[in-house]
Amino acid sequence: MLLCAFWLTSWLSYQVAHTSLRDQIESNHLPLTSDTVYSEIQRDLLQPIFTSSLMAQDTFVRDWAISGENNAQPIIRYLDNIQQRYQTITSFFVSSHSGRYYHPSGIIKTISKDDPDDAWFYRVSQLPPSQEYEINIDYDTADNSRTTVFVNYKVFDFEEKLIGVTGVGLNVEFVKELIQLYQTRYQRSVYFIDALGNVTLSGTNYQGPRNISLRKGLATQATSVLSGAKNSYRFSEDGQQHYLNARYIPEFNWYLIVEQQDVPAIQDLKHTLWVNLSISLLVTVSMLIVANFTLGRYQRRLETLASTDKLTGIYNRQTFEGRLEQVIDIQHRANSPCSIIIFDIDHFKQVNDKYGHLVGDKALKKVAEITRQYIRQSDILCRWGGEEFIVLLPNCDALAALEVAEKIRLGVNQSEFEIEGNLITMSISCGIAQIKTHEILASLLVDRADKAMYRAKQNGRNRSVIAE
């Protein structure tokens, strides 16, 4: 019960702390990180969109395109100035009328519907009126070895007729470095997905599939993420709990994803739980050991008090009777002899009357001590009552028991006790009886030994008599 109480208390405390920490991650920590990252994205990544918008609205660009593109140098210088001023890796203008691709380095090419590399231009040209630009990741036309994040902005004349597409480009590696910087700074995974769930940009350490619907734990929630039903999500993957915050960025038409696994604090909670349970187990086991030792010692003391004579420390009559019946039954089955000796201190009343009961009690203890000296380890000594003692001798016939009785009698008679400054001599009268084959009741054996003891008293005391 104690262990269960410790376990339940520790487990409930862990669950409350764990739930509270998870709720803080979902409702506070992740959204706050997402807001902070979004603010930095506005600073680092939305600038190219703003720049492309300025280029598309620039009166110079529109006037130059409308005038017939007679001289390419003005637009080339303009694009070079944009690239230098806003530190982009490229800037461009593609004319709808001539199909020429203008770049800071000159006219790169003339686009064609038959060229797959130019498909982006016709895709942007056909965007709905409400969508003025798109962001795509593609190879740079000016440098095919370089992957670039392009902001493609439609350019209209003053009558809202499409006259071209302009924009700037950012190095993908630069964007990835920014994402990696966010991840390092906030200790969370940061990546972008498009409206179909495809991972468009991520840090170098992103190891997941290229579409969130293919992730084991997130597959069932991918639709909810993309619909913007809510911002915070929780899922399990490879035995780890993951927390995810999704935020739609309309300028990119992408979703910013901030994700993290179980925080170290949750691992610390688990560690603390196991430590608490271990301590609880240790405390419980220690208490059980102490309780067992204390109760065992108390129980043994009670058993001793219940089975022994308080004055002499030998068996009392109640315990002896039980042992006597057991020994008699064993001796009958083994067909072995068994005897008892009953003896009584002669004229013990005179000792009490002359010296007092305290001296008499000490005399009884002395007699018990002398008796122990002459009996075997297997023999059982009992205070039968008052000044009367009984000795049970298994595997011992009457004659052998008589020898033991005589040793005890002589030991008592020849001892001079000095008690409370008084020299006292005592004698005992012994009755010996051997169990008979047909004698099953212990009371019959005791009765015969008792009668033999009284015959010893009648014959002058200080002697031993064998029962008939």
Side-chain angles (χ1 to χ4, degrees):
M1 290 177 64
L2 185 63
L3 186 60
C4 288
F6 273 130
W7 184 90
L8 183 60
T9 302
S10 299
W11 179 253
L12 288 177
S13 299
Y14 167 75
Q15 288 297 330
V16 170
H18 192 250
T19 301
S20 175
L21 190 55
R22 283 183 168 179
D23 290 343
Q24 286 186 21
I25 293 172
E26 289 184 331
S27 61
N28 188 8
H29 296 169
L30 270 186
L32 183 61
T33 302
S34 181
D35 290 344
T36 305
V37 172
Y38 178 72
S39 298
E40 297 197 14
I41 286 173
Q42 285 184 311
R43 182 193 65 200
D44 297 330
L45 297 182
L46 297 187
Q47 180 65 31
I49 298 176
F50 177 71
T51 302
S52 298
S53 174
L54 291 178
M55 293 170 65
Q57 302 298 325
D58 197 309
T59 303
F60 164 74
V61 175
R62 293 192 289 180
D63 285 341
W64 179 83
I66 293 171
S67 65
E69 308 174 36
N70 295 322
N71 184 2
Q73 290 305 312
I75 194 67
I76 292 174
R77 285 195 301 271
Y78 172 82
L79 293 175
D80 181 64
N81 183 61
I82 290 291
Q83 182 173 323
Q84 297 298 326
R85 181 175 182 180
Y86 295 105
Q87 296 182 349
T88 63
I89 64 167
T90 185
S91 59
F92 62 91
F93 173 78
V94 179
S95 171
S96 297
H97 174 69
S98 65
R100 293 172 185 165
Y101 191 116
Y102 295 96
H103 185 267
S105 60
I107 301 175
I108 301 297
K109 62 182 294 187
T110 300
I111 62 171
S112 170
K113 289 184 177 181
D114 298 328
D115 189 343
D117 292 339
D118 298 332
W120 67 270
F121 176 81
Y122 300 100
R123 182 180 66 249
V124 174
S125 300
Q126 296 173 7
L127 290 176
S130 60
Q131 188 174 348
E132 295 181 328
Y133 68 93
E134 75 158 13
I135 298 175
N136 76 309
I137 300 174
D138 204 347
Y139 290 106
D140 192 340
T141 303
D143 185 354
N144 288 332
S145 65
R146 185 172 60 194
T147 304
T148 305
V149 179
F150 287 100
V151 180
N152 305 314
Y153 224 107
K154 293 187 290 186
V155 183
F156 297 93
D157 62 13
F158 299 101
E159 296 178 357
E160 297 300 322
K161 179 182 178 182
L162 183 69
I163 58 176
V165 176
T166 191
V168 296
L170 295 175
N171 192 326
V172 168
E173 295 305 318
F174 169 74
V175 179
K176 288 184 177 181
E177 287 176 4
L178 285 177
I179 295 174
Q180 195 67 38
L181 178 63
Y182 302 152
Q183 292 184 150
T184 303
R185 183 178 298 165
Y186 302 108
Q187 296 299 305
R188 291 167 174 85
S189 296
V190 179
Y191 53 94
F192 295 91
I193 60 172
D194 62 18
L196 299 178
N198 298 311
V199 177
T200 53
L201 284 174
S202 62
T204 55
N205 62 345
Y206 180 80
Q207 302 296 327
R210 302 314 298 178
N211 191 292
I212 62 170
S213 63
L214 300 178
R215 294 187 66 174
K216 297 177 183 177
L218 194 56
T220 57
Q221 303 186 70
T223 302
S224 178
V225 173
L226 297 175
S227 66
K230 60 178 183 176
N231 294 330
S232 298
Y233 300 86
R234 182 194 304 173
F235 63 96
S236 296
E237 187 176 64
D238 298 329
Q240 288 284 337
Q241 191 76 16
H242 291 249
Y243 306 89
L244 182 147
N245 185 273
R247 177 167 185 158
Y248 180 66
I249 303 179
E251 294 87 351
F252 288 171
N253 194 27
W254 289 349
Y255 290 89
L256 168 65
I257 305 297
V258 179
E259 179 185 335
Q260 75 174 66
Q261 296 182 4
D262 272 346
V263 294
I266 290 181
Q267 298 299 326
D268 292 342
L269 281 178
K270 292 180 180 178
H271 177 71
T272 302
L273 172 65
W274 288 115
V275 170
N276 287 341
L277 291 178
S278 299
I279 294 175
S280 302
L281 179 62
L282 180 61
V283 170
T284 302
V285 171
S286 300
M287 291 187 67
L288 288 175
I289 292 174
V290 172
N292 181 64
F293 177 77
T294 304
L295 293 176
R297 185 173 62 178
Y298 184 67
Q299 182 179 4
R300 287 190 296 272
R301 184 179 177 189
L302 290 177
E303 290 174 352
T304 301
L305 291 174
S307 62
T308 60
D309 176 59
K310 184 177 180 181
L311 178 64
T312 60
I314 60 177
Y315 280 113
N316 59 26
R317 181 168 180 168
Q318 180 180 356
T319 305
F320 179 81
E321 288 177 341
R323 296 293 302 274
L324 178 59
E325 291 180 355
Q326 293 175 1
V327 172
I328 289 175
D329 182 59
I330 294 171
Q331 297 301 114
H332 272 306
R333 293 186 181 187
N335 196 24
S336 299
C338 179
S339 302
I340 63 170
I341 304 170
I342 293 181
F343 64 88
D344 183 90
I345 301 175
D346 299 327
H347 305 297
F348 185 71
K349 185 176 182 301
Q350 295 177 6
V351 176
N352 280 332
D353 292 342
K354 184 177 181 180
Y355 302 107
H357 287 282
L358 290 177
V359 173
D361 289 345
K362 292 182 178 180
L364 290 172
K365 292 174 68 176
K366 290 288 185 181
V367 171
E369 291 173 3
I370 292 172
T371 303
R372 283 198 188 99
Q373 297 175 13
Y374 297 105
I375 62 176
R376 299 168 300 180
Q377 190 88 18
S378 59
D379 298 335
I380 300 172
L381 175 62
C382 162
R383 185 182 176 193
W384 192 246
E387 69 273 17
E388 196 171 19
F389 296 82
I390 187 168
V391 182
L392 173 61
L393 302 101
N395 302 313
C396 185
D397 58 21
L399 292 177
L402 176 62
E403 291 181 11
V404 175
E406 281 297 293
K407 290 178 181 179
I408 296 172
R409 184 184 66 80
L410 291 173
V412 172
N413 188 239
Q414 294 173 2
S415 298
E416 191 174 54
F417 306 103
E418 183 178 352
I419 303 174
E420 302 288 338
N422 301 298
L423 292 176
I424 301 172
T425 57
M426 291 183 291
S427 64
I428 61 173
S429 299
C430 304
I432 299 99
Q434 178 181 342
I435 188 172
K436 295 180 179 180
T437 306
H438 63 279
E439 202 168 43
I440 300 176
L441 297 177
S443 59
L444 296 177
L445 177 63
V446 174
D447 185 60
R448 289 193 298 110
D450 192 54
K451 289 177 179 178
M453 182 189 68
Y454 276 101
R455 285 203 304 274
K457 285 182 175 292
Q458 291 171 358
N459 292 337
R461 303 179 188 276
N462 194 21
R463 66 192 65 238
S464 302
V465 175
I466 298 178
E468 297 177 354

